[in-house]
Amino acid sequence: GAKTALLEVHGCLGGVWTAGSLSWILDAREKGGIMAEILQRLDELGARSRDPQGVPTAGYDPEAMKWVLDRMAIEAGIDVWLHTRVVAAQVGADQRLTHVMIESKCGREALAGKAFIDCTGDGDLAARAGCGFDMGHPESGKTQPMSLMGLFTGLDPQAISDFFVHRATSETWNAPKDRLREMLAAHGVETSYGKPTFFCLADDLFALMANHQYGVNALDSRQVTAATLEARDELHRISEAFRKEGGIWKKARLVATGAQIGVREARRIHGRAAVTLDDLREGRSQPDAVCRVTFCIDVHSLDGKGGKGLESQPVKALPYDIPAGALIARDVEGLYLAGRCISGDFWAHSSYRVTGNAVAMGESAGRMAAVG
């Protein structure tokens, strides 16, 4: 019921889901609210992938996702501003955020609001408003690598079933990835991610995550640019390797790469509470829980040394709650957080950062902002 403006830097809603062609939703099961509604709408469009037994998987058609999110925003009466970037913030004497400055084709403008929610992933608004934050590994400062998604067509799911991940396989999660890596290596392509992963989205539409861009600062546009160019080059070399393999791969085509590279880690904004490794170790419940996380600790190799896959987990994560305080900025009034920029430590962040949790956080932050 609150009057709401949604500012989006890309030409579509959804961030890494759509502009980033992520195509795979992690930790969405057993979540209600908006997350459940999105999945239902994708099902109605036939836009969710299914395994050979017909069971829905985490995959979806990113183009259909754009339409679903457009319709949901329009039906909710949201004032959507695409192609718009937040560039500055105005904080009053009482440390309350009062305005955001935006830039677009219309030039520079200011928007006033009673409450603001930072869903930038990188914590851009919070930082511009003067909030404190942490970033990277507590000892080295290193952040997780970035990955650029690629969408492929021209492949028969049955013919290449040994090379992609789906529920029906009796093998380990890693076996299809290892076969794919070995096949590409035979044609001179050593993937920067040690476990290149194919997901079947629908019919002959596949998503591929095969690259790691190490040591990139998500807050430096020049570094992100270089990472994007390198990642896109790797995806096209992979596409060429498929065709060199011939046979069942000869018609493979890379039809799209993400307009936005997938950033796993940037700022973690200081909140009134924080999610910590101890919360994961103990599986803590919270009296003000806004989201139940069931995902594992998922730290991708920080530098590619000693393997290009995942770092070892310090503990086995048990299902745990995110408290409301982790979504409320500590240093500025009237500012809420959602997604991977909420308040938490390095290890907890690697678990709660995935998009199924981001949706639940966003819904909760919206409710707090509306009644706050």
Side-chain angles (χ1 to χ4, degrees):
K3 184 179 179 181
T4 304
L6 178 54
L7 312 178
E8 168 57 51
V9 69
H10 291 291
C12 56
L13 303 179
V16 73
W17 266 359
T18 52
S21 297
L22 180 60
S23 310
W24 200 257
I25 307 172
L26 293 173
D27 211 0
R29 288 185 296 171
E30 299 181 5
K31 286 187 168 65
I34 291 174
M35 186 68 256
E37 182 179 350
I38 290 171
L39 294 179
Q40 179 181 346
R41 288 182 180 234
L42 289 171
D43 278 334
E44 291 170 354
L45 293 175
R48 286 181 72 192
S49 61
R50 295 178 180 272
D51 69 13
Q53 276 66 53
V55 178
T57 71
Y60 63 91
D61 181 333
E63 189 60 37
M65 179 69 85
K66 293 177 188 177
W67 191 32
V68 165
L69 299 180
D70 285 350
R71 291 163 65 190
M72 291 177 70
I74 292 168
E75 290 168 12
I78 293 171
D79 187 12
V80 177
W81 299 48
L82 300 179
H83 310 292
T84 302
R85 181 182 295 275
V86 172
V87 295
Q90 178 67 43
V91 178
D94 58 355
Q95 284 302 107
R96 175 168 290 276
L97 180 59
T98 60
H99 297 76
V100 293
M101 269 55 77
I102 60 175
E103 285 193 351
S104 70
K105 291 288 187 180
C106 298
R108 178 166 287 197
E109 301 170 277
L111 288 181
K114 295 180 179 179
F116 300 83
I117 307 171
D118 188 335
C119 300
T120 63
D122 297 336
D124 289 340
L125 173 57
R128 283 158 176 70
C131 291
F133 61 87
D134 299 310
M135 187 167 166
H137 191 282
E139 296 176 3
S140 66
K142 293 178 180 179
T143 57
Q144 293 195 55
M146 300 179 183
S147 295
L148 183 67
M149 297 296 297
L151 298 180
F152 285 79
T153 61
L155 297 167
D156 181 350
Q158 291 186 333
I160 69 164
S161 62
D162 288 342
F163 293 88
F164 69 87
V165 173
H166 52 74
R167 293 177 189 270
T169 181
S170 60
E171 299 179 278
T172 68
W173 176 259
N174 289 321
K177 305 180 184 185
D178 293 338
R179 276 193 287 269
L180 185 61
R181 186 191 70 250
E182 292 165 4
M183 188 263 281
L184 291 170
H187 295 283
V189 179
E190 296 286 346
T191 57
S192 53
Y193 175 43
K195 298 292 182 181
T197 308
F198 244 148
F199 301 109
C200 182
L201 303 181
D203 299 324
D204 68 341
L205 179 63
F206 287 79
L208 176 66
M209 200 289 276
N211 61 82
H212 269 174
Q213 304 307 125
Y214 300 104
V216 183
N217 184 343
L219 309 184
D220 186 326
S221 62
R222 300 304 297 160
Q223 292 189 35
V224 176
T225 296
T228 303
L229 297 177
E230 291 170 4
R232 186 176 295 121
D233 176 72
E234 182 172 341
L235 284 167
H236 278 276
R237 288 189 289 108
I238 288 171
S239 182
E240 291 179 348
F242 287 156
R243 290 190 291 276
K244 288 179 182 177
E245 175 71 10
I248 59 176
W249 299 91
K250 65 180 180 181
K251 293 184 178 180
R253 290 291 182 275
L254 176 61
V255 294
T257 57
Q260 167 190 330
I261 196 168
V263 179
R264 292 186 175 86
E265 186 177 2
R267 302 181 186 95
R268 305 189 304 275
I269 305 300
H270 294 164
R272 296 185 184 178
V275 189
T276 69
L277 180 61
D278 286 340
D279 294 328
L280 280 63
R281 178 188 290 113
E282 299 174 15
R284 287 177 178 166
S285 298
Q286 303 287 351
D288 60 344
V290 298
C291 177
R292 185 73 168 171
V293 180
T294 63
F295 197 58
C296 63
I297 293 174
D298 185 48
V299 179
H300 287 238
S301 176
L302 299 180
D303 53 21
K305 298 176 182 178
K308 299 177 181 179
L310 303 179
E311 300 279 350
S312 60
Q313 299 182 14
V315 301
K316 179 177 174 57
L318 299 175
Y320 62 94
D321 290 342
I322 294 177
L327 277 59
I328 304 173
R330 184 188 69 187
D331 302 326
V332 173
E333 296 295 322
L335 176 60
Y336 301 85
L337 316 164
R340 57 182 170 81
C341 67
I342 71 163
S343 182
D345 68 20
F346 172 82
W347 298 106
H349 169 275
S350 74
S351 169
Y352 62 65
R353 65 177 172 82
V354 296
T355 59
N357 298 317
V359 174
M361 291 185 231
E363 182 171 3
S364 296
R367 290 179 180 276
M368 288 191 287
V371 303

